[in-house]
Every structure is written in C-alpha cells, then in structure tokens.
Amino acid sequence: MANLSFMATTDSQNAGLPWFYILLFLILYLIVVALFRRQRVRGILHKFPYTTRHSFASMTNEDAFYIQRYLSELEFPFTIEKALQFALFRTYGIPSISKLLVETRQFSEPATATKRYTDTGVLISEFATCHPHDDRSVDAIARMNFIHSVYQKAGKILDDDMLYTLSLFTVEPIRWTARFEWRELEDFEKCALAVFWKSIGDAMGISYDKLKSGGENGPGWTDGLQWLDEMAAWSLEYEKRFMVPANTNRQTAEETVAILLWGVPNALKPYGRKVVSALMDDRLRAAMIYPAPPQIYFTLVEIIFSIRKYLIRYLSPPRPDFMKMRMVTDEPSPDDRYFMKTWETLPWYVKPTMGNRYSLQALKSRIMGLPAPGDEGLKYWPQGYKIHEIGPDMLRGKGATYQENAKPKIASSLSGCPFGRLKRE
C-alpha cells in the first residue's frame, strides 16, 4: 500500500511538471522579448548618443535621417505609415487645399486618385529612405518642388498650407505612436523627426516666419524639440481658424476614404467608413461633414489597438533587419528604373514578377475583380518609374531645367544641422 501511495504521489508530481516548464518558458520568453526591445533603443542611442537636451542642438540631418528611418522601417512601420497617410488626409479638411484637388480633378476617378496617392508615397519614400546626399533623395525633392511650383505660381497653393502640411508630417507620427504603439517615442526620436522634416521644409523653401521664434527678428530655435513645439502650437491655431466645413472637403474625403478602404469587401465598406470616422477628431470630422459614428466604433478602435499594443510589447520580438519595411526598390533596373515593392490600391509601378503576379495580394485583387501586376498592359507602369516621371500626366516630361537648377540648394539644405544654419541663411 505504501508503494502504491508513493507511486501515485510521484505520478501526480510528474503530471504537474509539463505545466511548470510551460510557465517557466513563458516567463523567460517575456523577459527575453522585453530585453531585446529595450536593447534596440539602447543600440540606437549608442550609435547616435543624443542623451541630453543640450546634445539635441547639435543633431545633424544625417543622424536624424537614420533615426527616422529606423523608426519607419523597423520600430513602428505600420503606425508611422498610417500616420503619414492620415496626415495627408487631414490636410483635406482645409478648404483651400481640398478646393485645389477638386479643381485639378486629381480625385475625380479611381485611376487618377490612386495614382496621385501612389505618386505622393513614392516621392516621400525616396527622400525618407535614401540618404540625404543620395541623388535619389535630392531628385525626389526637386521633382516635388517643381510640381508644387506650377500651382504656387498660379496662386493655388498658399504658403501657410505648405507649412501646415509639413507640420502634420512632423507631428502626426508622434501623436499616433503615443496613442497606438507599445511605447511612446523617446525625446531624441522626436527631435530626430523634427530635424529631418525641418530640413525637408528648408529644401522645399517653406517659410517659418509664422512661428513664434521665426522671421528676421525671431531668435531662432535651439533644437528640434523647440521647433517641434512651435510647429504643433501653430498648427493647432491654424486648424482652429481654417479647418471648417466645405463641400470640397467632403468630396475629397469621400475619394480618399475609398482609397483607404480599397481592399475591403463592398459588404463591409459601410462599417469601414465608420471606423475611419472614429479615427477622426471632432474638428476634422465636422470639416469633412461626416457624421459621428456610434460609440461602439470608438470603443472597437481602442480595443483593437490596445490588444495590438500589448501583443507587440510583451510577445513580439523586435522586427529583424531583413524584414524592414520599404516601399520602393533599393537598386535600379538595367534601364535605370525603380519599382514599388507592394501596392494598396492599383499596382502602380509594381514589377510583374512571378512572385508579385501570383502572391496572396495578387490573388485577393483578382478575387475582387481588380488588376494584379502586369495586367492591362502598360496602364499601371509595370516597367517602373524614373523620378522625373512622377506626378500628374500633364507634367510628365516637364520641369527638367527647373529641377536641375534647384538641386544644389536642395543638397545644401539637407546637409549639417538645420538649426545651426538658421542665422546664416
């Protein structure tokens, strides 16, 4: 009997061992994930040792470029991409901006709207992922400046609208990360975003006279964080004055939401529209003339992003370098063209390789009756793009002289520290 009792006790203890090892494994896994996630931040700080507010004043655009690229490609690729898309969407709540898009018919039909959407992403990707001294970065900004110049000369793009758009590209990634990601940005990362976008603004010739420390009589900015704070404050006041309801806002919003929900089945699109509306704040929603969705959609958005936040924070190791997110190809084709690596709407500039034509994304497109890469001949530019070809069809082949003349000044604006240059300009 004693032996039987001992054997029963032993069997009971052995039965509990697998659960012990599973629990031990989970605890060790959580510790390892936390260590690796914090190590990535420490690794960036070790490479770019901007550890004090005093050191931020000397942050160069080159260092800021590498920091923002690691944020957008490895640390927060999904959220920063969506933040930039929503930043562009937010500008359409300003009537002077939405009116131009309606007048130029850039959102008049799906093909035109999706091409403009893709072209904007291409140009931003070129200067956000290519080194500031790389010709691709300079060429992309020169092309963007030429496209803007056509409308600026006609008085259709206002200086304040340019400054407002730049402010959103700087501020929205910080806001979205704080709201939806597993951690907020560190101060040196916020400074890097400010330095990077300040340099882009310099290269675009955007005036900062409206900012508190700007203008000829202004004291200038000590570092990126000070500039960032002033941009955020000015942007908020600008919205209070000019983000007002307009039919052109609504029209542009409708076309943009259609792009955002492009891959959503038609039966689910009404619900998707309510989710998009839930992501808007009250001022933007009113300017777009969108009704507020039922409270359940606000709750749903918070629950989904909270679940994602905690899954990434505790269960997901950092994204490895070989999985970095990049929209455009690194190397040119033999005829000096580049390609989009993926697509959200129509397959603009996507190379019709076997992998692209028969991927899950291509299969989904075909099931929904949409083209895959290589379908419909050359309609979606499967041969790729050259930077000077990007933009509206009416500007294709134009602007070569303008762009070539602008490149030296752009290259200069992308060098050094943008705040160290302030008083010399």
Side-chain angles (χ1 to χ4, degrees), residues 61 64-65 68 123-132 136-138 140-142 144-145 148 162 165-166 169-170 192-208 227 231 409-415 418-419 421:
N61 185 49
F65 161 78
Q68 69 81 28
L123 291 176
I124 293 174
S125 293
E126 288 287 347
F127 63 70
T129 60
C130 297
H131 191 281
R136 289 175 67 177
S137 180
V138 176
I141 297 173
M144 181 170 61
N145 288 355
H148 288 159
M162 294 284 286
T165 303
L166 182 70
F169 275 81
T170 310
L193 289 178
V195 169
F196 173 77
W197 285 107
K198 168 67 164 58
S199 292
I200 297 299
D202 291 343
M204 295 175 66
I206 293 177
S207 170
Y208 305 113
W227 181 82
M231 283 285 277
K409 184 177 181 180
I410 292 172
S412 176
S413 297
L414 298 178
S415 301
F419 300 100
R421 290 196 306 266

Side-chain angles (χ1 to χ4, degrees), residues 46-247:
H46 179 74
K47 186 174 182 180
F48 305 104
Y50 297 104
T51 56
T52 66
R53 184 65 185 262
H54 179 74
S55 66
F56 293 171
S58 60
M59 183 180 287
T60 65
N61 185 49
E62 184 175 13
D63 287 351
F65 161 78
Y66 283 119
I67 294 169
Q68 69 81 28
R69 192 172 72 174
Y70 117 84
L71 290 173
S72 61
E73 293 184 349
L74 291 171
E75 192 75 340
F76 309 117
F78 172 82
T79 299
I80 288 183
E81 178 189 33
K82 297 309 173 186
L84 293 177
Q85 290 173 350
F86 210 81
L88 198 62
F89 177 75
R90 192 174 186 86
T91 65
Y92 307 153
I94 306 296
S96 57
I97 296 176
S98 63
K99 180 182 177 182
L100 173 63
L101 293 172
V102 170
E103 287 180 351
T104 56
R105 302 178 63 81
Q106 289 298 295
F107 285 99
S108 60
E109 57 185 51
T112 306
T114 56
K115 184 175 185 298
R116 183 191 184 279
Y117 180 84
T118 303
D119 283 351
T120 301
V122 166
L123 291 176
I124 293 174
S125 293
E126 288 287 347
F127 63 70
T129 60
C130 297
H131 191 281
H133 299 161
D134 192 306
D135 285 343
R136 289 175 67 177
S137 180
V138 176
D139 287 344
I141 297 173
R143 182 61 179 172
M144 181 170 61
N145 288 355
F146 168 69
I147 295 171
H148 288 159
S149 72
V150 174
Y151 301 105
Q152 286 173 314
K153 288 178 181 177
K156 295 183 177 181
I157 293 183
L158 307 178
D159 291 344
D160 283 359
D161 289 344
M162 294 284 286
L163 181 61
Y164 174 66
T165 303
L166 182 70
S167 75
L168 293 185
F169 275 81
T170 310
V171 172
E172 287 299 298
I174 297 172
R175 291 174 178 165
W176 277 60
T177 303
R179 182 181 176 189
F180 297 124
E181 273 296 347
W182 67 276
R183 70 171 177 88
E184 294 188 27
L185 294 180
E186 302 284 344
D187 282 347
F188 82 95
E189 294 169 328
K190 295 177 184 178
C191 183
L193 289 178
V195 169
F196 173 77
W197 285 107
K198 168 67 164 58
S199 292
I200 297 299
D202 291 343
M204 295 175 66
I206 293 177
S207 170
Y208 305 113
D209 289 354
K210 296 295 180 68
L211 301 188
K212 180 180 177 181
S213 300
E216 293 184 3
N217 299 320
W221 302 273
T222 302
D223 57 31
L225 287 187
Q226 183 188 0
W227 181 82
L228 175 66
D229 289 342
E230 293 190 15
M231 283 285 277
W234 178 87
S235 178
L236 178 60
E237 291 303 316
Y238 188 73
E239 285 187 354
K240 289 178 180 178
R241 295 173 59 196
F242 297 107
M243 185 175 278
V244 295
N247 289 331

Side-chain angles (χ1 to χ4, degrees), residues 250-267:
R250 171 77 180 197
Q251 184 176 343
T252 309
E254 287 287 281
E255 298 297 339
T256 307
V257 170
I259 292 173
L260 295 175
L261 300 178
W262 190 269
V264 176
N266 288 334

